[in-house]
Amino acid sequence: MRTDPLSYLGEELNSLKQQNLYRHLRILEGEQKARTTFDQRSVVNLSSNNYLGLTTHPKLRERALAAIKEYGVGSGSVRSIAGTMAIHMELERRLAEFKNVEAVVVFQSGFAANAGTVSAVLTKEDVVISDELNHASIIDGCRLSRAAIKVFPHKDVDAARKIIEALPAGQRKLLISDGVFSMDGDLGSLPGLCALAEETDCIMMVDDAHASGVFGKNGRGTIDHFGMHGRVDIQVGTLSKAIGALGGYVAGNRNLIEFLYHRARPFLFSTSHPPAVAAACMAALDVLLEEPQIIDRLWENTRFFKAGLERLGFNTGLSESPITPVIAGDGATAMKLSDRLFEEGVFAQGIAFPTVARDKARVRTIVTATHTREDLQFALDKFDTVGRELGLI
Ligand SMILES: *Cc1c(COP(=O)(O)O)cnc(C)c1O
């Protein structure tokens, strides 16, 4: 009998266990909510991207169910063959109007939107200028495009300028930043980068996954927040986080979107969303427009929780969003902090290398509109107890 050719994977896993970095998947029993049950333990949930509680909003449920009754559960094909349903087009029209752009194309996920778009619009002759903390899906898209990748230090517009000025004139350049950085919760230097892109003739792209439904009027994102409508060539948003369902979209001009119909590989080679997903996303847009007070609630909770963590003396980095990291240092300490919080009834995921730098391991907290003050105070009290126990405060 041959030896298992994958045995090296077991060795890798053992090494993770020795470093105390091996993770079990936490199992959610029931709905994705602010207070819920993971691994049979009732916890305050500070780990989900369900910023507005839309995963369980009655309007989204109702419209998804109605779409299943009317259209069934699957689309049966990729978009470019038989899988473009009227409801997909309707969602894209609604998103384009919402984002104040000519056109939108929806992908299966934000990951697919980023990777599919960057790899489609660039060739190996081109160059990407990318913030060092940009999301993995952007990095993968850059790799797939085979364009040269130039990374600038986090948010450093001057460094990006130096890189661009050293490039040959006439080379096609894509300047790209997250709107909100997912591990630190800070905002990209968008006004500076946008001006730089205009001056140096770069294509400007912003990935607004964590800003969709969170920043800007009615949750239109960072481009609205910074008053930069019409100045960002490629905007990516997600439908999987605050919007509460699943998907990613690219917003831009008509040529960009039609080009992606022809060249974006997830659009061409992976089946489109079930109709219920498109219906849920449209219901979410209605909620953003009709009940914007839930976004206000998200921000009130964010301010309350951040102030609490800071008062306790934690290192919370430079966050400007509902994502607040609690920096613990090495990976093992971050995992210990997360595990002890969980035992005490607070679920805040530990995050270590390679997702973040080796010495910046952390517990990441995300506040939502649906947390009550009692939930957040309970979590702060547990952070106090466990933070002291581990010598972090
Ligand atoms: C979550 C995230 C994505 C991926 O979005 P999904 O819809 O979950 O695939 C892309 N970019 C950033 C910055 C993200 O945080």
Side-chain angles (χ1 to χ4, degrees):
M1 209 178 76
R2 68 171 192 163
T3 54
D4 175 10
L6 293 177
S7 61
Y8 68 102
L9 300 181
E11 287 154 25
E12 294 281 335
L13 288 170
N14 281 336
S15 144
L16 289 178
K17 282 175 188 159
Q18 272 154 23
Q19 298 168 71
N20 203 15
L21 295 176
Y22 179 87
R23 303 308 289 165
H24 290 278
L25 298 175
R26 296 256 184 240
I27 310 297
L28 170 61
E29 288 123 18
E31 299 178 343
Q32 181 63 263
K33 289 182 117 164
R35 192 179 261 281
T36 190
T37 306
F38 280 91
D39 292 346
Q40 280 122 37
R41 190 181 291 274
S42 167
V43 291
V44 171
N45 179 7
L46 296 176
S47 291
S48 117
N49 302 314
N50 182 26
Y51 290 104
L52 302 174
L54 297 191
T55 58
T56 54
H57 194 289
K59 275 187 193 151
L60 275 74
R61 272 193 222 262
E62 214 174 275
R63 299 266 283 281
L65 284 168
I68 289 174
K69 288 206 177 111
E70 194 165 352
Y71 304 113
V73 295
S75 78
S77 171
V78 301
R79 286 289 301 272
S80 53
I81 300 180
T84 294
M85 303 174 83
I87 199 168
H88 295 135
M89 298 307 290
E90 193 186 344
L91 171 61
E92 289 171 347
R93 273 194 303 275
R94 294 263 338 252
L95 282 169
E97 189 187 329
F98 181 70
K99 296 288 287 185
N100 197 17
V101 293
E102 268 179 34
V104 159
V105 57
V106 171
F107 288 83
Q108 298 83 355
S109 67
F111 196 107
N114 270 328
T117 300
V118 176
S119 59
V121 301
L122 297 182
T123 71
K124 64 183 188 335
E125 317 301 330
D126 306 328
V127 58
V128 184
I129 303 97
S130 174
D131 188 288
E132 65 179 337
L133 297 186
N134 277 347
H135 192 258
S137 53
I138 292 175
I139 298 166
D140 286 11
C142 294
R143 289 178 181 157
L144 285 168
S145 75
R146 294 190 294 155
I149 303 166
K150 307 276 185 191
V151 173
F152 62 87
H154 185 47
K155 297 181 65 164
D156 190 338
V157 181
D158 289 333
R161 175 185 298 278
K162 289 205 181 81
I163 291 171
I164 293 168
E165 284 173 354
L167 293 169
Q171 188 174 24
R172 185 170 296 123
K173 305 176 280 291
L174 175 71
L175 180 58
I176 182 163
S177 175
D178 283 6
V180 175
F181 287 87
S182 52
M183 293 300 145
D184 293 87
D186 55 341
L187 295 174
S189 304
L190 300 186
L193 290 174
C194 213
L196 175 62
E198 285 162 353
E199 255 176 76
T200 56
D201 209 19
C202 292
I203 305 164
M204 182 72 209
M205 175 164 171
V206 174
D207 172 8
D208 238 358
H210 277 284
S212 307
V214 175
F215 279 87
K217 187 163 192 292
N218 301 90
R220 283 175 171 81
T222 55
I223 280 75
D224 187 81
H225 172 78
F226 285 117
M228 301 194 319
H229 288 285
R231 295 178 60 197
V232 174
D233 305 296
I234 307 177
Q235 294 183 54
V236 168
T238 185
L239 304 166
S240 324
K241 289 174 174 148
I243 305 306
L246 175 69
Y249 59 88
V250 178
N253 69 23
R254 172 69 55 197
N255 281 344
L256 169 69
I257 302 313
E258 290 200 359
F259 180 81
L260 293 175
Y261 289 174
H262 291 84
R263 286 290 181 273
R265 292 168 72 84
F267 187 90
L268 295 164
F269 297 110
S270 184
T271 298
S272 56
H273 277 159
V277 171
C281 291
M282 280 192 277
L285 283 178
D286 290 343
V287 172
L288 292 179
L289 294 168
E290 290 161 14
E291 305 172 33
Q293 62 280 7
I294 59 174
I295 304 174
D296 299 338
R297 214 147 55 223
L298 167 65
W299 282 100
E300 283 159 24
N301 281 346
T302 296
R303 283 188 286 273
F304 175 80
F305 192 66
K306 270 188 202 307
L309 284 175
E310 275 156 33
R311 211 174 307 117
L312 291 174
F314 284 103
N315 175 2
T316 56
L318 301 168
S319 167
E320 302 164 78
S321 73
I323 299 171
T324 308
V326 175
I327 314 249
D330 65 278
T333 308
M335 295 310 169
K336 180 82 192 164
L337 175 60
S338 176
D339 289 345
R340 280 290 297 121
L341 285 167
F342 192 80
E343 285 166 14
E344 298 285 334
V346 177
F347 180 23
Q349 184 68 55
I351 296 171
F353 184 80
T355 309
V356 295
R358 269 185 213 281
D359 61 341
K360 294 254 174 68
R362 67 201 55 194
V363 155
R364 184 178 64 162
T365 67
I366 301 181
V367 158
T368 73
T370 50
H371 284 100
T372 63
R373 275 299 143 94
E374 293 69 44
D375 292 336
L376 297 177
Q377 190 56 55
F378 175 86
L380 287 170
D381 293 344
K382 299 306 180 185
F383 264 99
D384 189 12
T385 308
V386 178
R388 282 172 205 282
E389 198 180 290
L390 299 182
L392 291 168
I393 51 172

